[in-house]
Amino acid sequence: FGEVGSKLVFSADSDGGGANNIDLYSHLFSSPTTPALVADHPASISQYSFIVSLGKLFFEGNDGANGAEPWTYDGSNAAAMLL
């Protein structure tokens, strides 16, 4: 997990499918709502690769087409992006 801006960003297995179905979530610290699934994140995320730097989360993701690649998420409502 990591703190990006005013959000906690973390990975979780939301459907019990195992290590290949890890999803990326964000949660606004000041909100009592349920954490939200980050849109358009890669199909598989390495939960051990999170690095927070320059106000962004960097992580290893696999979209199923390009293999393991570096991705980033800036904490906004925008999607995670392949670098």
Side-chain angles (χ1 to χ4, degrees):
F1 66 92
E3 182 179 340
V4 179
S6 59
K7 292 185 178 180
L8 173 68
V9 182
F10 61 96
S11 60
D13 180 356
S14 61
D15 63 3
N20 292 330
N21 295 315
I22 303 296
D23 292 315
L24 184 65
Y25 289 87
S26 68
H27 180 69
L28 186 62
F29 286 118
S30 62
S31 174
T33 61
T34 303
L37 185 64
V38 173
D40 297 329
H41 67 282
S44 176
I45 294 169
S46 173
Q47 57 191 352
Y48 305 108
S49 68
F50 283 15
I51 297 171
V52 177
S53 181
L54 304 172
K56 295 182 181 182
L57 172 72
F58 296 89
F59 60 96
E60 178 185 312
N62 186 333
D63 63 4
N66 298 309
E69 301 259 323
W71 287 70
T72 186
Y73 177 64
D74 66 5
S76 70
N77 290 333
M81 297 177 53
L82 179 63
L83 289 178

